Amino acid sequence: QRQAEAALGVARAGLWPTVGVDVQVTRSRGAQNRGNAVTARSDAAATLARLAGSASWELDLWGRVRRGAEQAEASLAASAADLAATELSLRADLVSTYLALRVSEAERRLLDARVEALARAREITRNRYRAGVAPKLDLSQAETQLASVRAQAVDLAQQQATFRHALAVLVGVTPGELQLAASEALPSVPAAPPAVPATLLQRRPDIAAAERRMAAANAGIGVAVAAWYPTLSLGVSAGFQHSNVIDLVSLPFNFWSVGPALAGTLFDGGLRRGQAASARAAYDETVASYRQAVLVAMREVEDQLATLGVLAEEARHAEDAVASAREAESLALNQYKAGTVDYLTVVSAQTAAL
């Protein structure tokens, strides 16, 4: 981003004149020319002092400098969009990791509740076994299921630690510095707005970056075409020159010059033609990249909107399944207590409910 801002400043500097100053003090001694003969070197040394200022300004008749500034400005906008896209991606990672942590905590609470329920079921089975109304197999199955769910709870603890460490990195602190209390409920996720995909695409910085790169490439064509035309610049210089530094700034020893300069290239071996062709090809590439970026973005938005609808319907069916499974678990456990079914039926019902 800062590099793009500096490049824009460099490009805009060409719209203004360049002003310079020249200060010289030289002292020399050498041979003297007298006609066609060179006499012996003179022992006298000569001092020459010079104070001059100059200014030059390119008259941007063909738009080369202006198009260069447009190109740099579009590149700056593309760089800003890239930065926004990076920030958006980091925020998405942060939100996804945070939600994954909260979901993991909810699963851990579910497993803890299942451990308590399975522990009570094991005690019932142990009492029935001691009373001689249940076989040893029922007790073994109850203990196996309880240990299995406890192992799943321990595995979720490791996942929660991983998610917390990832969150710490995303917010820019060490894992030990992150203080995040556990939540008793899942966070509410805002619903997607009922908008068409084109509306959502307007908020995507990657689309804006691709469009600005296309604009920058288009301005680059103008810069390449302007190279075919001569450059016209206006130069001004003025100053003082004297052999005595003290008397340097005096009117009898001042000088000045002013005048335009027209410069152009007559033959370059096809250099400008190749540069213009390269600029047009680069523009065609950015147009294709922009179109592809829009198509991919539209596909992603459509996929996510369709997925949201499918997941909402799936969630409703899952809630119905959970309610039925809990009822079946309760019935199976009551039937086991009454001695009408074996414990394998209870295990199956509890597994389905979990």
Side-chain angles (χ1 to χ4, degrees):
Q1 179 72 16
R2 296 199 305 268
Q3 291 178 353
E5 292 175 354
L8 177 59
V10 172
R12 287 179 174 174
L15 297 172
W16 303 94
T18 301
V19 180
V21 64
D22 180 21
V23 179
Q24 295 184 15
V25 178
T26 60
R27 187 172 179 83
S28 61
R29 181 174 60 184
Q32 298 179 352
N33 288 328
R34 293 183 177 178
N36 295 328
V38 179
T39 62
R41 185 178 66 180
S42 172
D43 293 334
T47 301
L48 180 62
R50 176 184 175 90
L51 174 62
S54 61
S56 62
W57 183 28
E58 180 182 346
L59 303 178
D60 192 23
L61 299 179
W62 323 116
R64 182 187 66 84
V65 180
R66 292 192 302 271
R67 297 292 280 175
E70 292 177 8
Q71 184 180 23
E73 187 174 357
S75 297
L76 174 60
S79 179
D82 288 337
L83 179 60
T86 302
E87 292 177 351
L88 182 61
S89 177
L90 291 175
R91 291 174 181 176
D93 291 342
L94 178 63
V95 171
S96 299
T97 305
Y98 177 78
L99 291 177
L101 173 62
R102 294 313 187 192
V103 168
S104 179
E105 291 175 349
E107 291 178 351
R108 177 61 185 269
R109 291 193 298 271
L110 173 62
L111 290 178
D112 290 342
R114 299 307 305 162
V115 166
E116 294 179 1
L118 292 176
R120 290 194 300 268
R122 183 189 62 176
E123 291 302 318
I124 294 174
T125 306
R126 181 177 294 172
N127 294 335
R128 289 174 57 84
Y129 170 72
R130 290 173 178 175
V133 296
K136 177 68 173 178
L137 178 61
D138 288 356
L139 180 60
S140 298
Q141 289 175 338
E143 292 177 345
T144 301
Q145 189 178 22
L146 176 60
S148 176
V149 176
R150 282 176 174 172
Q152 295 180 38
V154 173
D155 183 64
L156 279 179
Q158 185 273 333
Q159 291 184 12
Q160 292 174 18
T162 301
F163 290 142
R164 288 179 179 273
H165 299 165
L167 278 176
V169 174
L170 288 171
V171 300
V173 299
T174 61
E177 295 175 337
L178 181 64
Q179 300 295 330
L180 184 63
S183 176
E184 296 298 327
L186 288 174
S188 59
V189 180
V196 295
T199 304
L200 297 177
L201 290 179
Q202 295 175 358
R203 291 185 280 174
R204 289 187 58 135
D206 55 337
I207 300 298
E211 190 275 333
R212 286 293 83 197
R213 287 192 176 90
M214 184 175 62
N218 185 44
I221 296 178
V223 174
V225 172
W228 286 91
Y229 303 100
T231 58
L232 178 62
S233 59
L234 181 64
V236 178
S237 63
F240 301 90
Q241 184 171 296
H242 196 274
S243 60
N244 189 351
V245 178
I246 299 177
D247 299 329
L248 175 61
V249 183
S250 57
L251 290 179
F253 302 99
N254 66 332
F255 65 91
W256 61 270
S257 65
V258 59
L262 186 65
T265 303
L266 298 179
F267 178 76
D268 59 5
L271 175 63
R272 290 170 295 177
R273 184 181 296 106
Q275 290 175 341
S278 177
R280 291 189 177 93
Y283 172 72
D284 292 339
E285 179 183 6
T286 56
V287 170
S289 298
Y290 173 67
R291 183 176 184 274
Q292 181 67 17
V294 172
L295 291 176
V296 171
M298 292 187 67
R299 185 206 67 193
E300 292 175 350
V301 172
E302 290 283 6
D303 289 346
Q304 296 303 324
L305 290 177
T307 301
L308 286 176
V310 172
L311 290 179
E313 183 179 1
E314 182 181 351
R316 290 192 296 268
H317 294 312
E319 291 174 357
D320 295 339
V322 168
S324 300
R326 287 176 176 173
E327 183 179 5
E329 177 188 8
S330 177
L331 292 174
L333 187 58
N334 292 334
Q335 291 175 359
Y336 176 71
K337 293 179 181 178
T340 58
V341 297
D342 58 4
Y343 194 74
L344 182 60
T345 303
V346 178
V347 171
S348 300
Q350 289 176 338
T351 302
L354 177 60

